[in-house]
Amino acid sequence: MFKVYNCIATAHDLWLVGLAAVICTLASLAAIGLLRHARHATRQMRPVWLAISAISTGFGIWSTHFIAMLAYSPGIPSAYNIALTGLSLAAAILLTAAGLAMSMQPKWRLGPWLGGAVVGGGIATMHYLGMAAFQIGGVILWDSTLVAASILLGTLIGAAALPAGLRGDSQRWRIAGAVLLTLAICSHHFTAMGAVAIIPDPTVTIPQSAIPTTWLAIGVAVSSFTIILLAIGAAALDIHDQRRSMLEAERMRGLANAAVEGLLVCDGDVAVTVNTSFAQLVGSTSDKLIGTNLQSYIPDAGARAKLFAAPNQPVEADLRHADGSMIPVELILRPIDFAGQAHHVIAVRNLQARKKAEQHIRYLAHHDALTSLPNRGTFHARLDHEIAATMAGGQKCAVLCFDLDRFKEVNDLFGHAAGDKVLQTVASRVTAILDKTCMVARLGGDEFAVLVPGLSNPATAGRLAERIIEALRSDGDKSESENMTSCSIGIAICPDDADNRETLLTHADTALYRAKMEGRATYRFFEAKMGAEVHDRRVLEHDLRQAVSRGEFNLVYQPQQDIQSRTVVGFEALLRWNHRTRGSISPAIFIPIAEETGAILGIGEWVLREACKQAASWPQPLTIAVNVSAVQIYNENFVQLVHEVLLETGLAPGRLELEITETALVRDLNRALTTLRRIKALGVHIAMDDFGTGYSSLSNLRAFPFDKIKIDGSFIKSVNTNEQAATIVRAVLGLGRGLGLPVLAEGVETPAELAFLQSELCNEVQGYLVGRPAAIGTFATLTHPESRPATGEEIRVLLAQSA
């Protein structure tokens, strides 16, 4: 070591030594930079950049040697052999190229180490060839120990230089590689120079062909300048390449982070990079996920194996979140080239929304969307199962079918939103009183069904029906719309009433129909005789809907007489149904059915049009009274209908009188009065029919200015024999006089009744005594008088004939 130090300190020009070190450092930086650039180049350009790197490195080694040799001052004349000098440069370039090529071999971990050792060997070869080219007037002696040490130092340090310079993308590794390569060149050179001992010999002459030191200095200067340019160019290329790589990486990272799907690039099972979406999906950050194993967030080994075995094919798996929960995802793997090496990119799609939607669809397939109760299909499947179990086990099961009384009126009065709320309330209340073995389902509309399996006694089904009715009974805590509803229930027992689903449900529905016919808000068990009765009722309902189109309805007219002048002032139109097979059907039978089924709207429109059309054809301006159902009053189009009929028929509004009962006002007084005020604004008269028989209230007379009060015939029949009835009639007549309202008494059949009403100053009468209901042609002399009006005597004779 002292010998090497002494050689550097005493036998060398330290300025030139420093220059050699600078050139060596620049050459090493250029070599590492160009080598890294060659590694990232395309396959076609890689040999070109490898050659450039080898040439610059070879020239760097060669220039370092000869500048250092110029710094060496043996004190005697010296020169250089041209051939050996050129051979030393060629050896430096070729051996360096071989070493660099070995380090670039893909998937060969020892390549950079062996390649670096070859480069170290190239340094030694170049040095000793250069020393062989050194011609001097004397004899050169070598220290074999230092020669071996120089070769060993160059080889070992060179072997470490390339792996360090090619490791990672960090700048520190690049600098480390350049420093090691510089150290390999310099340590070898000066150790080898320390092994030299020169003995002057005047007999030894320098050949004329040798290169003078001056010329060599110029050549080395040119080559050094070239190396510096190459180093600067390599640095510029590297900086440009880094900048482009950074911009490309940022662009790719931005595109990846903009993706809704999670993306991660893997080297085998290890994550190299991930986007923001994937990091958020697993509840972590991108930096923390780099270097993690796929197993940490895709625990299913089978799914991972399937993923790698089938690229470009979707694989469903569970993704582990940072909190331990599992997220359903879809994975798709594709091979990619990442940083010049084969990697895999995995797209991760969150399936939570889709799975939730699929689950919701499955739920909707078996449940009612409004009430969340099982739907018809689910109920049928469960009922089939229970019937099979019942038939096999010897027990019984019951089906309770129920619907809501007056539910259509809730929709008409309060809107469908209120109706939906009522259905939801019914579902929750009924569910609350059932045990886990029972099932309640919504079959459609306001139709519900309850299945009671394992029934030991039919009375148990009856008690359950009572509990359901009680749960839906009106109370103060419910809204007005809920208080309008109650339920009727029909019960059928398996196997007593039927042993199959269709028949069992039909029988339960038949029992429900009977419950409605017998007063509603009650329950009935199925009985065999019910079938024919219900069938007959439903046939009648069907025929009733067709009666208008078939022309089976007709109107009869009953005259209304002024009690003082004994003249007819108008007629009341009364509806009759002449069924094509059953003959005449009483209004007391078909009108309630029409109101319950809603057919009254079409029938009522026909009656109104027909009566107004008939009255408009009378030359005599008599009034026409038409009864109006509560269902019509609450129909939102009724006022418009009345207006249209008056315009179409040409009837004066003052000649039309609509008769309503107080029952129609009870359901929604404000809405009914609003409708009546709009009708009265058209000029139509309004009469309160059957006063005294329903929810008669003086507040109704005060709230709406009726044009007439009609006393029900049930009071008139008793005025001669029942003092209480007579008192009521007197009170109503007095009330009418006090309010300025004319009063019409219905059902007058005897002269005594007429005399009583006349003595009590009643305004008008109607009944068999005045005239029976008949076709309007019967009263032609009243509706179509000749040039002179009929006398009172003629009118009495005509009315007597009609009676």
Side-chain angles (χ1 to χ4, degrees):
M1 183 63 70
F2 177 76
K3 193 173 181 180
V4 174
Y5 172 76
N6 188 55
C7 177
I8 297 173
T10 61
H12 285 78
D13 184 342
L14 295 181
W15 288 102
L16 290 176
V17 170
L19 177 61
V22 170
I23 291 175
C24 183
T25 302
L26 291 175
S28 298
L29 286 170
I32 297 298
L34 290 170
L35 183 60
R36 292 168 67 92
H37 191 72
R39 185 178 64 175
H40 294 296
T42 60
R43 181 169 298 179
Q44 293 81 3
M45 291 300 297
R46 190 172 297 171
V48 176
W49 285 107
L50 189 61
I52 293 173
S53 178
I55 292 170
S56 65
T57 306
F59 260 99
I61 296 170
W62 185 78
S63 298
T64 301
H65 169 77
F66 280 100
I67 290 174
M69 287 301 295
L70 289 174
Y72 180 65
S73 302
I76 55 178
S78 60
Y80 291 90
N81 182 280
I82 297 174
L84 290 176
T85 300
L87 183 60
S88 66
L89 176 60
I93 294 174
L94 292 176
L95 290 174
T96 300
L100 296 180
M102 292 176 65
S103 69
M104 295 288 292
Q105 294 302 312
K107 297 183 180 180
W108 189 20
R109 293 185 177 182
L110 295 178
W113 295 93
L114 295 177
V118 171
V119 172
I123 295 171
T125 302
M126 186 282 308
H127 178 83
Y128 288 107
L129 282 173
M131 289 302 295
F134 185 55
Q135 295 180 339
I136 193 170
V139 178
I140 300 175
L141 299 178
W142 297 93
D143 184 338
S144 59
T145 301
L146 289 178
V147 170
S150 67
I151 296 173
L152 186 61
L153 279 172
T155 303
L156 292 178
I157 299 175
L162 294 189
L166 294 176
R167 182 174 179 179
D169 293 326
S170 174
Q171 187 70 21
R172 63 180 183 177
W173 288 111
R174 185 176 310 180
I175 295 173
V179 169
L180 287 172
L181 185 58
T182 302
L183 185 60
I185 297 170
C186 294
S187 63
H188 169 80
H189 176 83
F190 290 108
T191 303
M193 291 305 294
V196 173
I198 299 176
I199 302 174
D201 186 355
T203 63
V204 178
T205 60
I206 299 174
Q208 294 294 325
S209 60
I211 303 174
T213 304
T214 303
W215 289 103
L216 182 61
I218 295 172
V220 170
V222 172
S223 63
S224 300
F225 182 72
T226 303
I227 292 169
I228 292 173
L229 288 179
L230 287 173
I232 293 173
L237 285 172
D238 191 59
I239 292 172
H240 176 73
D241 184 61
Q242 284 186 3
R243 192 171 183 181
R244 186 181 65 181
S245 298
M246 289 176 61
L247 291 174
E248 184 68 15
E250 287 296 328
R251 187 177 72 86
M252 294 302 296
R253 190 176 295 110
L255 289 173
N257 289 333
V260 177
E261 295 180 342
L263 297 174
L264 69 156
V265 178
C266 296
D267 183 7
D269 284 343
V270 179
V272 175
T273 182
V274 303
N275 70 345
T276 304
S277 296
F278 181 78
Q280 292 175 347
L281 197 59
V282 298
S284 184
T285 62
S286 300
D287 295 337
K288 292 181 178 179
L289 292 173
I290 294 175
T292 57
N293 196 287
L294 286 180
Q295 184 179 355
S296 59
Y297 30 82
I298 306 178
D300 187 353
R304 295 197 308 273
K306 186 177 180 181
L307 182 66
F308 282 94
N312 299 310
Q313 297 296 322
V315 175
E316 290 192 9
D318 288 329
L319 188 73
R320 179 184 288 139
H321 193 271
D323 61 7
S325 62
M326 304 303 288
I327 302 171
V329 295
E330 182 181 73
L331 308 173
I332 299 179
L333 179 142
R334 289 188 177 92
I336 63 167
D337 182 79
F338 183 79
Q341 297 182 7
H343 287 72
H344 294 98
V345 62
I346 301 176
V348 183
R349 180 177 300 164
N350 190 346
L351 298 183
Q352 281 181 308
R354 193 180 83 181
K355 293 292 184 181
K356 187 176 181 181
E358 291 174 352
Q359 183 179 3
H360 185 60
I361 291 172
R362 287 193 295 269
Y363 179 84
L364 292 180
H366 299 284
H367 293 78
D368 172 56
L370 177 63
T371 62
S372 297
L373 294 177
N375 59 16
R376 182 186 294 270
T378 304
F379 183 80
H380 285 177
R382 172 74 185 278
L383 181 56
D384 287 338
H385 174 77
E386 294 299 338
I387 290 176
T390 296
M391 302 303 294
Q395 289 186 319
K396 298 181 179 181
C397 68
V399 172
L400 286 69
C401 287
F402 69 93
D403 63 13
L404 305 182
D405 304 325
R406 300 170 63 191
F407 180 69
K408 185 177 183 301
E409 296 179 22
V410 172
N411 280 330
D412 291 341
L413 291 176
F414 303 102
H416 290 285
D420 290 346
K421 185 178 180 181
V422 168
L423 293 175
Q424 291 170 339
T425 302
V426 169
S428 62
R429 288 175 179 260
V430 174
T431 302
I433 64 175
L434 297 178
D435 59 36
K436 295 181 179 180
T437 61
C438 300
M439 170 189 276
V440 57
R442 183 186 178 203
L443 304 184
D446 64 326
E447 301 175 35
F448 296 84
V450 176
L451 172 62
V452 185
L455 189 70
S456 58
N457 188 341
T460 304
R463 289 193 293 270
L464 178 59
E466 291 174 353
R467 292 176 61 195
I468 293 175
I469 293 172
E470 183 62 29
L472 302 182
R473 196 180 303 278
S474 62
D475 58 48
D477 294 334
K478 295 182 181 179
S479 64
E480 187 176 358
S481 59
E482 290 175 316
N483 276 327
M484 285 188 62
T485 60
S486 58
C487 76
S488 301
I489 303 176
I491 306 173
I493 307 296
C494 173
D496 296 353
D497 299 323
D499 58 3
N500 63 82
R501 167 169 46 91
E502 292 80 4
T503 307
L504 191 65
L505 287 173
T506 299
H507 289 346
D509 193 52
T510 300
L512 166 63
Y513 212 83
R514 172 54 67 89
K516 283 188 171 294
M517 292 174 60
E518 295 183 0
R520 302 182 180 181
T522 186
Y523 70 92
R524 291 289 182 269
F525 283 92
F526 172 77
E527 298 174 6
K529 65 178 182 179
M530 290 181 179
E533 296 175 357
V534 171
H535 176 74
D536 182 69
R537 167 74 178 251
R538 291 191 169 172
V539 170
L540 192 64
E541 287 181 7
H542 177 269
D543 292 345
L544 184 61
R545 295 182 184 277
Q546 309 296 321
V548 172
S549 60
R550 291 173 178 172
E552 295 177 355
F553 284 127
N554 67 285
L555 294 181
V556 295
Y557 298 82
Q558 188 172 29
Q560 297 174 336
Q561 187 181 75
D562 184 283
I563 199 170
Q564 302 300 330
S565 64
R566 306 293 295 276
T567 58
V568 173
V569 294
F571 291 90
E572 179 179 4
L574 301 173
L575 181 63
R576 297 292 184 265
W577 183 15
N578 186 25
H579 194 277
R580 59 181 179 177
T581 57
R582 303 188 185 199
S584 179
I585 299 177
S586 170
I589 295 176
F590 72 80
I591 291 297
I593 297 176
E595 289 183 330
E596 182 178 328
T597 60
I600 193 66
L601 292 175
I603 296 171
E605 180 179 349
W606 180 87
V607 171
L608 183 64
R609 290 184 184 277
E610 191 67 20
C612 291
K613 179 181 178 181
Q614 184 62 246
S617 68
W618 303 338
Q620 194 73 5
L622 304 174
T623 61
I624 182 70
V626 178
N627 289 282
V628 176
S629 167
V631 178
Q632 293 174 274
I633 291 294
Y634 291 112
N635 184 271
E636 58 184 9
N637 298 320
F638 183 64
V639 178
Q640 181 180 353
L641 172 66
V642 173
H643 190 208
E644 289 178 356
V645 169
L646 292 175
L647 291 176
E648 290 175 6
T649 60
L651 180 69
R655 292 180 57 193
L656 175 62
E657 183 176 271
L658 299 182
E659 298 184 359
I660 66 168
T661 63
E662 279 197 298
T663 305
L665 304 178
V666 171
R667 299 176 186 176
D668 189 346
L669 177 63
N670 293 331
R671 184 172 176 178
L673 293 183
T674 298
T675 300
L676 295 180
R677 288 190 180 99
R678 292 175 61 194
I679 293 174
K680 193 167 184 180
L682 299 175
V684 177
H685 293 171
I686 307 294
M688 180 178 287
D689 196 14
D690 298 336
F691 186 79
T693 60
Y695 304 92
S696 300
S697 172
L698 299 181
S699 63
N700 291 335
L701 294 177
R702 183 182 65 180
F704 183 80
F706 289 93
D707 297 293
K708 183 183 292 184
I709 299 175
K710 297 186 71 173
I711 304 176
D712 188 70
S714 60
F715 295 103
I716 304 304
K717 296 181 186 301
S718 306
V719 291
N720 295 326
T721 59
N722 189 320
E723 185 59 30
Q724 290 180 340
T727 301
I728 291 174
V729 172
R730 290 191 187 97
V732 174
L733 293 172
L735 181 63
R737 287 193 296 273
L739 295 175
L741 296 177
V743 179
L744 184 148
E746 296 182 297
V748 179
E749 297 182 356
T750 65
E753 293 170 352
L754 180 63
F756 173 83
L757 294 171
Q758 196 168 19
S759 66
E760 296 295 334
L761 302 179
C762 181
N763 301 97
E764 298 175 5
V765 293
Q766 178 181 338
Y768 286 176
L769 181 65
V770 177
R772 291 178 177 272
I776 194 62
T778 308
F779 308 103
T781 55
L782 297 176
T783 58
H784 295 73
E786 296 178 350
S787 56
R788 66 175 181 83
T791 64
E793 183 61 28
E794 289 174 335
I795 292 174
R796 284 193 292 274
V797 172
L798 176 63
L799 294 177
Q801 291 175 349
S802 67

